[in-house]
Amino acid sequence: MTEHTQQPTAPSAEGRTPVPAELPTQYVPADVEGTLYERWVENGWFEADAASDRPPYTIVIPPPNVTGSLHLGHAFQHTLMDALTRRKRMQGYEALWLPGMDHAGIATQNRVEQQLAEEGKSRHDLGREAFVERVWKWKDEYGGKILGQMRRLGDGVDWSRERFTMDEGLSRAVQTIFKRLYDDGLIYRAERIINWCPRCLTAISDIEVEHEERDGELVSIRYGEGENSIVVATTRAETMLGDTAVAVHPDDERYRHLVGTEIEVPLTGRRIPVVADPHVDPEFGTGAVKVTPAHDPNDFEIGRRHGLPALTVMDEHAALTVHGPFQGMDRLEARSAVVGALREQGRIVAEKRPYVHAVGHCSRCHTIIEPRLSMQWWVKVGPLAEAAGDAVRDGRVAIHPKEMSGRYFQWVDNMHDWCISRQLWWGHRIPVWYGPDGETVCVGPDEQPPSGEGWTQDTDVLDTWFSSGLWPFSTLGWPDETPDMAKFYPTDVLLTGHDIIFFWVARMMMFGLYAMDGEVPFRTIALTGLVRDERGKKMSKSFGNVVDPLDWMEKYGSDAVRFTLARGANPGVDVPISEDWVQASRNFANKIWNATRFALLNGATVEGPLPSPERLSATDRWILSRLNSVIAEADAAYDDYQFAKLCDTLYHFAWDEVFDWYVELSKTTFAAGGEAAENARRVLGEVLDTLLRLLHPVIPFVTEQLWTTLTGQESLVVTDWPKDSGFRDRAAERELTAVQQLVTEVRRFRADQGLQPGQRVPARLDLGATALPPHEEAIRSLLRLQPPAGTFSATATLDVGGATVSLDLSGVIDVEAERKRLSKDLAAARKELEQTSAKLANEGFLAKAPEHVVAKIRTRREQAGADIARITAQLDRLPAA
């Protein structure tokens, strides 16, 4: 905000800014958005300079999948990140918003395998090297669609630093940290139970499993005979072929005599021990469970405690590999066949169908997951997770909102070792070689792998989250000591959805603290909610409520989509959105456009300093006082990541105060001319200049077009952020509040009497000892009140805050018709009050009616009472017949 000077210099009438031809009467987003964005990029205004002496501000973009396209969740988070970065750039920071993409191992490999399937081929027909070449070709041809869509949204990212999780530099970072973790004993290889996808033919992590309620069956099976028999229940009967024990609780008296004995597994003839284990819940079912260590994670742990063998009974396609009659069957086919065979032997004690239970599915292909014993690579997360928890507990990293920190601690404090190997061909191949005599060698990026006969590299690749966990520092050049690392690390804020605290946030914390010797990867974790439809329902193709943000951007403009999303962004809370709200945001952009055109047409200017406060009218001082308060409120909202509050503040200030009041009040001033008009032109220019700056980070396109036209300057992207000058004039604010109250009350009365907004009414104003006399002409203009001509007879009088407004409505309204209409409405309201009161006085009704019905009737009664008071007041104000 420009400082007030003691000696004002107002621009002359000849110096007023004309309306340029390039500012049309209507705002058409498609005509300006693409051109403006390319201009921003071509001028390098989004590029950060590591050599500058400006303080750094860094955000790295959560890398979208190379297979992805822009959805509302992306648009939402990108809008907020862009707003933060644009503001910091305007505040004088060397702001870096670094873009890039994730190679998305499983998703990308699936895409290319689908292409091959259409050609009648599989990846095995091509071989590993040729298949990987095919994926790179697909990536170059089809990948990165989302990057162009980010431009459409207006993302102010530094495209010169764009990264990809499998580019040369990031691959070097992956190999470096793998080697360090391996050498420190934090990466190891072991046979454990993993989530196996029989379709993708790979292990996947717990967080890539989606659990859905499904109808299944629960069958109870009798093992053994007579008094030595035990009944167990299972939803996966086919796995009994791999049972190696039955477990009971050590304190369960029912089975104590069987612990240590052996019992026969039906259909197989194998005998297995009965073991006592505290994991078993004696209150659940029969209190006895079958133990299949190779096909259940809990059973695996029981097996380890009791030294049980682990029998794998399914292959990688989830087909059975044991027991002749069922060998080769798919697991679901085998399930029915096993139950049938057990029924024939009289082993089925009970069957429950349907039995609803949670079933895990692969998040990529939606195939049912199979727990499977497999040799995999793991990260020992204990010390890493502890460090990640400590960094938040000791304040080095702040989670916003604070209430979300509980979810973070719940995850990092209870994290299991992380399976990082995937049985894919697309991804970072594990840098481990195996020798002919059982040797194992882990190779760093600057080391030569062992060569010679019998040496082979591990065929697995790393989990996608392994490389994206390095994103905050690998993108800046780590492990090398680059200028970017020195300038822009640690990053300032990670803005992401609360749903990936577990997927990504915790992994970046663990790896960042480990790789950077205890330095955090970001100082703040700002968690957002998820975008939902207007009813708060999750967006899903199956629900038919998925929205393509590009459709809305095409229809209403990118600014409208951005403003709608940001206006719903309360920290950590899900964001409902509807097309009606986007349309309303488009209307807001149009309102800004029209108000700025009006200002330019009337000579609003930013030239020269503001006149000193004593030379300004109360109206001018009021809007400048409010403007400075709004700057302070906007800064506080930004610093607290309160985007919804920020947008509401700016929206209501712009529409309610600047456009609806100051612009309207200025019309009278402009018409009168003189020094007051020239001052108002300068103040209006100042207000719009500042307002457009405040709005720019959220709605960059329309504000850029208007601001450059208003000021003649280069770009909002590289201009200064407004500063609160400290100017406040509470007296002017009170004075204008009184004007607003008077005008609002009279407008309400006019509307109640059925007067059209533009209909002129003779009126006498007695402003008494109030501060309103200087505003009489403006009040009359706003209320369409004309001075009395000739004989004046007041037919209605309003007293508002010490001022009296007397109106002559004779000849303006049909008093008798209006009285009849209001009397009819009053009778209806009284009848409603009588009926609802009678129901609420009926004890029998209150005892039987549901609470929501009673609440609805109470609301109706309250509304009826309010209607009676309102209509009675309107009747009292009508002139006598």
Side-chain angles (χ1 to χ4, degrees), residues 425-581:
W425 288 355
W426 172 245
H428 295 282
R429 196 164 174 181
I430 289 177
V432 171
W433 271 255
Y434 305 109
D437 298 319
E439 304 97 329
T440 299
V441 176
C442 180
V443 177
D446 300 318
E447 301 171 352
Q448 289 295 321
S451 58
E453 187 175 349
W455 283 94
T456 58
Q457 186 177 358
D458 195 299
T459 57
D460 289 351
V461 301
L462 288 163
D463 178 10
T464 296
W465 296 103
F466 189 95
S467 51
S468 60
L470 314 180
W471 190 251
F473 50 93
S474 64
T475 51
L476 297 174
W478 187 90
D480 297 326
E481 295 180 3
T482 64
D484 278 1
M485 281 293 300
K487 178 74 173 179
F488 298 112
Y489 193 87
T491 66
D492 287 87
V493 61
L494 171 73
L495 189 144
T496 191
H498 63 65
D499 57 322
I500 60 171
I501 291 177
F502 325 119
F503 293 78
W504 190 45
V505 177
R507 307 206 187 296
M508 285 189 290
M509 285 285 283
M510 292 191 303
F511 281 168
L513 291 161
Y514 172 80
M516 305 303 293
D517 298 322
E519 191 167 29
V520 297
F522 24 74
R523 297 183 178 93
T524 299
I525 301 169
L527 297 171
T528 70
L530 309 179
V531 179
R532 298 185 178 272
D533 71 11
E534 59 195 286
R535 296 177 180 84
K537 195 173 185 180
K538 179 182 178 181
M539 288 193 174
S540 165
K541 290 180 181 178
S542 61
F543 296 153
N545 62 350
V546 172
V547 173
D548 185 344
L550 295 170
D551 292 342
W552 282 353
M553 285 191 276
E554 197 66 36
K555 192 172 181 180
Y556 303 110
S558 298
D559 284 332
V561 175
R562 290 171 61 116
F563 192 76
T564 306
L565 290 165
R567 198 173 181 189
N570 289 297
V573 178
D574 288 348
V575 182
I577 189 171
S578 78
E579 187 168 0
D580 288 346
W581 303 338

Side-chain angles (χ1 to χ4, degrees), residues 711-732:
T711 66
Q713 296 182 42
E714 192 170 33
S715 174
L716 273 170
V717 176
V718 290
T719 197
D720 293 334
W721 180 252
K723 292 182 180 179
D724 176 6
S725 71
F727 174 74
R728 302 288 191 278
D729 192 325
R730 302 306 184 196

